[in-house]
């Protein structure tokens, strides 16, 4: 059922508006702000995360325990699908890059810097650094919004996928430094395995030798962040040239996207083979 859910999730994401209806975080974010502001919980970040992450995840697990034995699991299928859709990243990644791409293609670095800060929350000291940060943004957002979610869903089911997304929301939107720190630590643990699996996928569909050189030093490095690792590997795997203004710079973003698409095909092929063998 997991592979079928992943196929349906991709189809719905591309051809349906259901994703925007399902991905509503406002209620959960209000609860996060409420718990962070509570004097009783201000110095108890683990309790805040338990109430906002562990509790809803436990409820989901209980619901699935009840539904999965019924009708050969058919009643659980829509729950799995809705959870996966909810756990995918927010917003339109390629659409969000549109204004930046247009400005960069025109070699209007001032406009590119403005839209990057407005739309992507990216600032830089130079045009070259700006493009590098946008490239890193594309790699990281594609990883955390798609690859990490489908990895944990396929490996451990919707409970793990929901845990990852709620921790990501706490890390990105939390205002209490202690809560954010704990959420980042837990998310780092969640990211350790799938980001390395994606790096291996980049080696298979990109420059294998260049990726191997990077991974040789970073494979077991616990301290490197997932964002930094995926940037280092993605740039060499896609053989991305030095940043330049104009159409060539925009083409580097297309190269990264094509690399991500090829990696996604490898993952889905792997999921399909695993499903058939088991």
């Amino acid at each position: 059922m997991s592979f079928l859910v992943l196929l349906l999730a991709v189809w719905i994401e591309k051809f349906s508006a259901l994703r925007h209806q399902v991905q509503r975080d406002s209620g959960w974010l209000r609860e996060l702000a409420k718990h962070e502001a509570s004097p009783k919980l201000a110095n108890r970040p683990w309790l805040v995360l338990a109430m906002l992450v562990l509790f809803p995840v436990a409820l989901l697990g209980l619901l699935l325990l009840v539904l999965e034995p019924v009708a050969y699991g058919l009643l659980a299928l829509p729950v799995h699908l809705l959870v996966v859709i909810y756990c995918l990243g927010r917003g339109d990644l390629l659409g969000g890059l549109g204004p930046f791409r247009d400005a960069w293609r025109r070699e209007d670095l001032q406009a590119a810097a403005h839209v990057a800060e407005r739309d992507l929350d990216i600032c830089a000291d130079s045009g070259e650094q700006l493009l590098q940060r946008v490239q890193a943004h594309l790699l990281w957002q594609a990883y955390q919004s798609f690859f990490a979610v489908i990895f944990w869903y396929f490996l451990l089911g919707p409970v793990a996928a929901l845990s990852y997304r709620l921790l990501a929301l706490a890390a990105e939107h939390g205002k209490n430094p202690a809560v954010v720190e704990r959420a980042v630590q837990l998310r780092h643990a969640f990211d350790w395995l799938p980001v390395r699996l994606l790096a291996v996928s980049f080696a298979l569909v990109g420059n294998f030798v260049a990726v191997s050189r990077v991974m040789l030093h970073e494979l077991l490095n616990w301290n490197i962040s997932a964002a930094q690792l995926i940037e280092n590997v993605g740039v060499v795997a896609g053989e991305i040239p030095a940043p330049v203004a104009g159409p060539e710079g925009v083409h580097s973003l297309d190269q990264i996207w094509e690399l991500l698409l090829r990696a996604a095909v490898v993952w889905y092929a792997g999921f399909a083979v695993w499903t058939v063998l088991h």
Side-chain angles (χ1 to χ4, degrees):
M1 183 172 68
S2 297
F3 185 64
L4 174 60
V5 169
L6 291 177
L7 288 177
L8 290 174
V10 170
W11 184 86
I12 289 172
E13 181 186 13
K14 297 300 181 184
F15 303 108
S16 170
L18 179 62
R19 175 180 173 183
H20 303 292
Q21 301 298 321
V22 173
Q23 292 180 338
R24 296 182 181 273
D25 303 318
S26 55
W28 190 88
L29 292 177
R30 281 196 300 270
E31 289 299 313
L32 174 63
K34 177 181 175 181
H35 284 70
E36 287 182 322
S38 172
K40 295 181 180 180
L41 299 174
N43 297 318
R44 306 177 72 180
W46 288 117
L47 182 56
V48 173
L49 290 177
M51 296 173 67
L52 293 173
V53 178
L54 185 59
F55 181 68
V57 164
L59 287 180
L60 174 62
L62 290 174
L63 176 62
L64 292 173
L65 281 176
V66 173
L67 293 179
E68 285 180 351
V70 180
Y72 302 99
L74 291 179
L75 292 180
L77 177 62
V79 176
H80 279 242
L81 183 58
L82 289 174
V83 170
V84 170
I85 292 172
Y86 174 77
C87 293
L88 294 175
R90 276 58 180 146
D92 182 354
L93 182 55
L94 285 183
L97 290 175
F100 174 83
R101 290 168 58 93
D102 293 339
W104 196 266
R105 185 180 289 107
R106 300 192 308 268
E107 301 186 28
D108 189 344
L109 300 187
Q110 184 175 359
H114 172 71
V115 297
E117 182 176 4
R118 182 195 65 193
D119 299 340
L120 310 176
D121 196 25
I122 293 175
C123 298
D125 298 327
S126 65
E128 292 78 8
Q129 187 183 68
L130 179 62
L131 182 59
Q132 289 174 337
R133 290 188 176 180
V134 173
Q135 292 169 348
H137 169 84
L138 177 58
L139 286 163
W140 165 246
Q141 292 300 325
Y143 161 76
Q144 69 88 23
S145 65
F146 180 73
F147 288 97
V149 172
I150 66 171
F151 172 85
W152 285 115
Y153 172 73
F154 192 82
L155 187 67
L156 297 177
V159 168
L162 182 61
S163 300
Y164 181 84
R165 181 52 56 204
L166 294 181
L167 285 172
L169 289 173
E172 293 167 5
H173 298 282
K175 303 300 181 184
N176 185 320
V179 172
V180 172
E181 180 183 359
R182 275 35 169 218
V184 168
Q185 290 173 351
L186 291 173
R187 187 183 187 183
H188 179 69
F190 267 91
D191 281 327
W192 197 88
L193 184 56
V195 77
R196 281 158 177 78
L197 182 60
L198 181 57
V200 172
S201 305
F202 282 171
L204 295 176
V205 301
N207 189 323
F208 185 88
V209 175
V211 173
S212 299
R213 292 196 190 102
V214 175
M215 292 301 296
L216 182 65
H217 301 287
E218 305 295 356
L219 181 62
L220 300 179
N221 184 1
W222 177 262
N223 295 318
I224 188 172
S225 69
Q228 186 61 56
L229 178 61
I230 205 63
E231 177 187 356
N232 294 346
V233 173
V235 169
V236 297
E239 300 179 329
I240 307 303
V244 293
E248 292 183 10
V250 174
H251 180 62
S252 70
L253 298 176
D254 295 331
Q255 289 177 276
I256 291 175
W257 187 250
E258 291 168 2
L259 178 72
L260 291 164
L261 290 178
R262 295 196 299 270
V265 170
V266 169
W267 278 42
Y268 268 76
F271 292 157
V273 171
W274 183 268
T275 301
V276 169
L277 294 179
H278 291 77

